Amino acid sequence: MRLAMIGTGYVGLVTGACFAQMGNSVICVDIDEKKIARLREGLIPIYEPGLETMVKENTLYKRLSFTTDIKEALASSEVIFIAVGTPQGEDGSADLSYVLGVAKSIGDLMIHPLIVVDKSTVPVGTAGKVKAAIGAAQKARGVEIGFSVVSNPEFLKEGAAIDDFSKPDRVVIGADDDHALEVMRELYAPFTHNHERFIAMDIKSAEMTKYAANAMLATKISFMNEIALICEQVGADVNKVRSGIGSDKRIGYSFIYPGCGYGGSCFPKDVKALERTALENGVTPHLITAVELVNKNQKLVLEQKIVRRFGENLAGKRFGIWGLSFKPETDDMREAPSVTLIKALIARGATVAAYDPKAVGEAQTHYLKGDAIVYATSKYDALNGADALVLVTEWKEFRSPDFDEIKNRLKTAIVFDGRNQYSATQLAKQGIEYHQIGVQS
């Protein structure tokens, strides 16, 4: 099929590359001329395992191309994906200005029937607004060209997006006409032929599915983090509690690992947007509001542990930070717990040496600047002369470090573990003072 992907951010680029990999002709559109120029050169603006290779291969074989000309893309395509950002507004709602701006452009410039697919994460009712915007633009032109609007929410995990798209748990399609539904079924057939995971539903239910899924996962994380706080106060070990409840098939082990809070582009924004949607429709979302509050407080837990150990005034103290991105296998630092922690430590007078395998550039450019923070080129260099190691993001290279090296590099052998990666028994044998989430120390 001939596809156009409007927006070359995380979702648009991954979706476009994966469709091209299956033999479709995909043209990706963005208004950022410099970004398009870099993409044409094979330079990927985000870190996602496997994406750069896939983009270069499909560009080479002319299945994937990039342009700033949306008119060109609409003329040569039959299915148009809207994959632009929906940033959080001041009131917590999703800002639909980019989505509706693209919809207007489609109505202004389309010359033949199209299927328009909402791929961006959008509130319930957005498809109706997109349809109205396209129709209004056509009316202003004095034309009436057939089109359908479909909801196709994405369920990609940063760091595993290629695999998630290629081997999906489910493909959710919300459509109100049979033709559009069958086109989408054909488009996704290469990804679902081994297992029937194509789920068709009405448009509003599809829009709601995305928010409900992310809110559910965020709820599991916040629940476990609250259990961790209780465990720490009563003398229980949250790691053992997690094993005890995770063995129950009704609960499972996924998303019940205690830590220092969730971040990223999806969970924080989507939970708040769902809360806003509920309030606007007369529902008080007690649980969803609590999920967000628990997570906000959880991001302060590592700072609180450090203050209990070193005191309120951290002037003259230096901390080695392992991990900056909000999760492993990405350079995304949006809503990352590391930002909250590092800013809090610096505000108390401390200095920081930080290391991350992929996110240092993002941190330096957008999130953490100033003389109080330096960026190390290796995990061990971040520990030189530090009063403690603080692990924030559970990258694989942090899982089995050389504890003798850690001890030798640190001024005092103290580890604060925000992801409960290590064995307390092992660190005790090494003579390292160990503080983790949900366990008294």
Side-chain angles (χ1 to χ4, degrees):
M1 287 189 197
R2 292 173 289 114
L3 315 176
M5 199 66 53
I6 313 301
T8 59
Y10 181 81
V11 173
L13 197 54
V14 170
T15 302
C18 287
F19 276 136
Q21 187 74 8
M22 291 298 163
N24 297 287
S25 176
V26 182
I27 182 168
C28 293
V29 184
D30 204 289
I31 59 173
D32 187 335
E33 293 183 359
K34 291 182 179 179
K35 187 177 187 181
I36 291 297
R38 290 194 295 268
L39 285 167
R40 285 172 174 166
E41 295 172 4
L43 301 175
I44 309 302
I46 57 174
Y47 173 71
E48 179 63 38
L51 182 60
E52 182 175 352
T53 300
M54 186 177 285
V55 168
K56 286 181 176 179
E57 177 184 328
N58 285 283
T59 302
L60 177 65
Y61 290 107
K62 302 189 184 305
R63 294 188 294 261
L64 183 64
S65 60
F66 302 94
T67 185
T68 57
D69 188 347
I70 188 171
K71 184 176 182 180
E72 170 197 349
L74 295 177
S76 62
S77 303
E78 52 195 309
V79 181
I80 312 298
F81 285 81
I82 300 177
V84 293
T86 53
Q88 182 179 302
E90 292 183 5
D91 61 356
S93 62
D95 181 353
L96 296 177
S97 58
Y98 298 116
V99 171
L100 297 180
V102 171
K104 182 181 182 302
S105 295
I106 292 171
D108 286 338
L109 300 171
M110 63 187 294
I111 57 175
H112 57 74
L114 295 172
I115 295 173
V116 179
V117 183
D118 280 337
K119 196 67 174 172
S120 301
T121 299
V122 293
V124 176
T126 299
K129 294 178 181 180
V130 168
K131 188 173 184 178
I134 295 173
Q138 284 196 16
K139 186 176 181 180
R141 291 171 60 196
V143 301
E144 189 173 343
I145 304 169
F147 68 95
S148 300
V149 177
V150 170
S151 175
N152 174 211
E154 56 87 13
F155 300 100
L156 306 177
K157 298 188 297 293
E158 292 191 46
I162 300 294
D163 202 47
D164 284 347
F165 197 99
S166 302
K167 303 170 186 176
D169 291 331
R170 76 288 208 196
V171 172
V172 172
I173 301 294
D176 58 9
D177 74 76
D178 291 340
H179 172 66
L181 183 60
E182 289 311 307
V183 169
M184 296 303 291
R185 191 186 300 276
E186 180 184 346
L187 180 59
Y188 275 103
F191 305 99
T192 59
H193 70 277
N194 287 334
H195 301 280
E196 184 47 54
R197 293 175 176 173
F198 187 95
I199 303 174
M201 59 183 71
D202 63 276
I203 292 174
K204 287 187 176 181
S205 294
E207 291 172 330
M208 186 64 180
T209 296
K210 169 65 175 181
Y211 280 111
N214 278 353
M216 181 69 232
L217 297 175
T219 299
K220 292 185 74 174
I221 294 171
S222 283
F223 171 82
M224 203 64 209
N225 282 335
E226 189 154 89
I227 292 295
L229 295 180
I230 299 170
C231 285
E232 195 162 334
Q233 292 304 311
V234 303
D237 184 333
V238 72
N239 302 303
K240 295 174 182 177
V241 173
R242 181 188 64 79
S243 296
I245 67 173
S247 58
D248 186 327
K249 293 180 181 178
R250 297 170 300 174
I251 298 172
Y253 290 103
S254 297
F255 290 87
I256 63 167
Y257 288 83
C260 50
Y262 61 74
S265 63
C266 294
F267 287 5
K269 178 172 68 73
D270 292 354
V271 168
K272 290 174 185 175
L274 183 56
E275 179 185 29
R276 186 68 187 177
T277 296
L279 292 170
E280 289 175 348
N281 287 275
V283 177
T284 302
H286 300 289
L287 179 58
I288 294 167
T289 300
V291 167
E292 181 186 348
L293 179 60
V294 168
N295 189 62
K296 181 179 179 181
N297 291 334
Q298 196 67 18
K299 290 183 179 181
L300 305 176
V301 167
L302 280 174
E303 177 203 358
Q304 292 164 357
K305 286 179 174 291
I306 291 168
V307 167
R308 283 199 298 269
R309 178 59 179 79
F310 290 102
E312 296 281 349
N313 185 353
L314 298 177
K317 300 297 182 184
R318 182 181 180 88
F319 296 94
I321 305 293
W322 281 6
L324 295 168
S325 57
F326 85 93
K327 62 179 284 188
E329 301 300 330
T330 181
D331 60 355
D332 193 343
M333 288 192 58
R334 286 172 286 185
E335 303 280 348
S338 65
V339 177
T340 303
L341 172 65
I342 290 171
K343 287 183 176 180
L345 296 178
I346 290 173
R348 291 181 178 275
T351 57
V352 167
Y355 170 75
D356 188 283
K358 296 295 179 182
V360 167
E362 190 74 5
Q364 286 176 313
T365 305
H366 300 294
Y367 294 94
L368 297 165
K369 304 176 183 179
D371 296 336
I373 181 169
V374 297
Y375 294 95
T377 56
S378 77
K379 61 180 183 283
Y380 295 120
D381 284 348
L383 307 183
N384 290 337
D387 292 277
L389 157 63
V390 187
L391 188 149
V392 184
T393 312
E394 65 276 32
W395 285 89
K396 289 180 181 178
E397 70 170 270
F398 302 152
R399 290 183 184 176
S400 299
D402 184 335
F403 290 109
D404 287 330
E405 186 71 17
I406 290 174
K407 192 174 178 180
N408 290 335
R409 298 271 188 143
L410 290 171
K411 184 190 297 183
T412 51
I414 303 173
V415 172
F416 294 90
D417 186 350
R419 299 296 177 183
N420 291 15
Q421 293 291 289
Y422 306 132
S423 162
T425 302
Q426 180 183 12
L427 268 71
K429 289 179 180 178
Q430 295 278 347
I432 297 174
E433 184 181 320
Y434 185 48
H435 302 264
Q436 55 184 317
I437 305 294
V439 182
Q440 285 184 351
S441 55

